[in-house]
Amino acid sequence: MGFVRRQAITAALTANAIRPVPGFRSGIPAFFAGWLTGELAPHLLGLTVADAAAHATGSRRSWRGLALAGLSSAGLGYLIRQSRQAVDDAESALVEGLGVDYVEELDAKPTPADLATPWRRLANPFAFGRAARRAGVEVHRDIPFAPYGRRGMLDVYTSEVTPAAGAPVLLQVHGGGWTIGNKEQQGLPLMQHMAARGWVCVAINYRLAPRDPWPAQIVDVKAAIAWIREHIAEYGGDPSYIAITGGSAGGHLTALAAVTPNAPEFQPGFESADTSLQAAVPYYGVYDLAGASGLRTAELMRDKFLAPVVFKRSPRSERAVFEQASPLLRVTADVPDFFVVHGSRDTLVDVGQARAFVAALRATSKRTVTYAELPGAQHAFDIFPSIRSQHLVRATERYLHWHWNGWRRERSSTGAEDALA
């Protein structure tokens, strides 16, 4: 019966990963079950096949487990195929958002190896730190940028190929519902990958609710941007070029920081600091904190969690505070270029929020807007190396290199015109 029970649980997990249990209250358990099952589908498939082979005795009891194992294996195979499709989904998004010839702006066109699934790297998805060390990545840890102890510290990632000066900078903002999380836990595959290619990456902590309610979180992100402008040259970074990324609550802070450059309400005591950004790549972010989109899920998040825990304010009597914090409502023509990434099966943050935000950007922004909606992807799919996350890391690298090269060319052209004038 242990075999049958294991296979019944595996079948249930697989079914939930393919089609998560709906509903606001079930969103969190559906996420945890679906996230791990979907991103670790190859590993779970291997265990399922091995378990089935060990119990292929021909008894009536084992046949029940074998039938369940067969169903699970088929479902896990479907999830693996869906994850591998992410390379085409991301590439199609880049072509749609940037143009079919965007690869001409890269240092080198992606090779078949760049687009292939890196199976060897996925064998142990929790050992990705070793690969970073082999690539010569160095982490300068616990550098203070704000006077809040541990919550006011950041890490700087460089590598043996980081230039002495002029490297592009990527700022990573962790998620965790504005209440948990730290700089050592998220965005690691992307930061290690980019640092190994010469970028300077910065991962920050920030104050957490409910101890420090909103807007402490965005104030700290802005303070980190100001710190980068002043100090990143010491690590080889170009202080005039900062791209920003983050997932979930970090995706919200990424988007909000990008659409509110130099906003005095988020820069108390350092209003004159330049907090503008050159590009933003939010992953599965929250864009509607006010419930302005009309999505019932956004309203429930506002009323059941954001208002009592993060803001400690009433959305009825102080609606303007929630609107001020919503990237959806802060879009202007001058926002930077965006690459928005979201999963179609996200049970924590409705994909409708990403769609609404992208629609607002495309209707208003003068810059490029790229949107990758990943079929079958759950929340937090990029926490550790998986088939899907590795494809998105490399797609994000192509996007960032495209943007960096275009930005340098644009700045060079502007400088030449100024010199002639």
Side-chain angles (χ1 to χ4, degrees):
M1 289 301 293
F3 171 56
V4 175
R5 186 177 295 111
R6 286 195 301 275
Q7 294 309 318
I9 293 172
T10 300
L13 290 172
T14 303
N16 174 73
I18 295 172
R19 188 172 293 277
V21 178
F24 181 78
R25 293 186 181 278
S26 61
I28 293 177
F31 152 65
F32 279 110
W35 162 53
L36 290 173
T37 303
E39 300 311 311
L40 295 176
H43 308 78
L44 188 55
L45 176 60
L47 291 173
T48 299
V49 171
D51 197 18
H55 290 83
T57 62
S59 69
R60 180 179 299 177
R61 184 175 296 175
S62 68
W63 277 112
R64 296 174 185 171
L66 291 172
L68 289 169
L71 292 173
S72 297
S73 297
L76 292 167
Y78 170 79
L79 291 172
I80 292 169
R81 290 193 299 274
Q82 195 172 56
S83 294
R84 296 185 69 184
Q85 185 64 31
V87 63
D88 295 325
D89 298 330
E91 188 61 20
S92 295
L94 291 174
V95 169
E96 179 186 8
L98 309 179
V100 69
D101 59 346
Y102 89 93
V103 294
E104 303 296 334
E105 304 298 326
L106 304 180
D107 295 335
K109 294 182 180 181
T111 66
D114 294 328
L115 302 175
T117 301
W119 290 108
R120 183 178 301 178
R121 190 176 305 172
L122 304 179
N124 184 353
F126 302 107
F128 50 91
R130 299 175 193 169
R133 287 191 293 272
R134 286 197 298 270
V137 175
E138 180 181 2
V139 186
H140 311 267
R141 295 195 182 278
D142 296 331
I143 303 166
F145 73 90
Y148 306 119
R150 179 70 176 166
R151 301 315 307 177
M153 292 184 176
L154 56 79
D155 296 338
V156 177
Y157 289 68
T158 59
S159 76
E160 56 192 18
V161 299
T162 303
V169 180
L170 177 64
L171 171 59
Q172 156 69 27
V173 186
H174 73 76
W178 307 270
T179 62
I180 59 174
N182 65 65
K183 56 186 171 58
E184 292 91 2
Q185 295 174 336
Q186 298 176 30
L188 300 182
L190 177 61
M191 286 191 295
Q192 292 169 353
H193 185 84
M194 298 305 297
R197 281 151 181 78
W199 285 58
V200 175
C201 299
V202 181
I204 65 168
N205 280 338
Y206 51 84
R207 288 171 291 168
L208 301 173
R211 176 177 177 177
D212 293 291
W214 183 266
Q217 296 72 38
I218 188 62
V219 170
D220 292 354
V221 172
K222 296 281 190 174
I225 297 170
W227 184 94
I228 291 171
R229 290 262 187 253
E230 186 174 352
H231 296 284
I232 205 64
E234 300 168 19
Y235 299 90
D238 184 344
S240 63
Y241 183 92
I242 307 173
I244 189 170
T245 188
S248 194
H252 161 253
L253 294 168
T254 289
L256 187 62
V259 300
T260 59
N262 310 321
E265 67 271 23
F266 296 145
Q267 297 180 206
F270 58 104
E271 291 86 353
S272 63
D274 179 8
T275 59
S276 62
L277 296 159
Q278 281 57 61
V281 187
Y283 278 46
Y284 44 86
V286 184
Y287 307 106
D288 178 19
L289 287 75
S293 63
L295 292 168
R296 181 57 179 160
T297 51
E299 295 171 349
L300 287 170
M301 180 185 292
R302 177 197 65 196
D303 296 341
K304 302 295 185 181
F305 176 68
L306 292 172
V309 177
V310 179
F311 284 72
K312 292 190 174 181
R313 294 169 181 257
S314 168
R316 306 293 184 269
S317 60
E318 298 181 83
R319 182 175 178 82
V321 176
F322 291 79
E323 293 177 342
Q324 190 181 60
S326 297
L328 176 64
L329 303 178
R330 303 295 298 263
V331 175
T332 68
D334 297 319
V335 299
D337 300 87
F338 266 86
F339 180 20
V340 179
V341 181
H342 215 100
S344 69
R345 294 295 188 187
D346 193 325
T347 60
L348 293 188
V349 182
D350 192 331
V351 66
Q353 291 205 30
R355 294 169 182 168
F357 182 57
V358 168
L361 287 170
R362 287 175 170 167
T364 308
S365 173
K366 294 185 294 187
R367 308 296 297 186
T368 63
V369 181
T370 304
Y371 177 50
E373 184 172 310
L374 306 177
Q378 250 291 1
H379 203 74
F381 65 83
D382 65 322
I383 296 296
F384 53 82
S386 66
I387 295 173
R388 184 181 284 113
S389 73
Q390 286 298 288
H391 284 315
L392 264 294
V393 160
R394 288 180 290 183
T396 301
E397 177 203 356
R398 294 196 294 279
Y399 174 82
L400 289 172
H401 272 120
W402 168 85
H403 192 275
W404 165 240
N405 288 340
W407 181 85
R408 285 190 297 173
R409 185 178 63 255
E410 185 176 307
R411 184 173 65 166
S412 176
S413 175
T414 301
E417 292 174 0
D418 291 342
L420 291 173

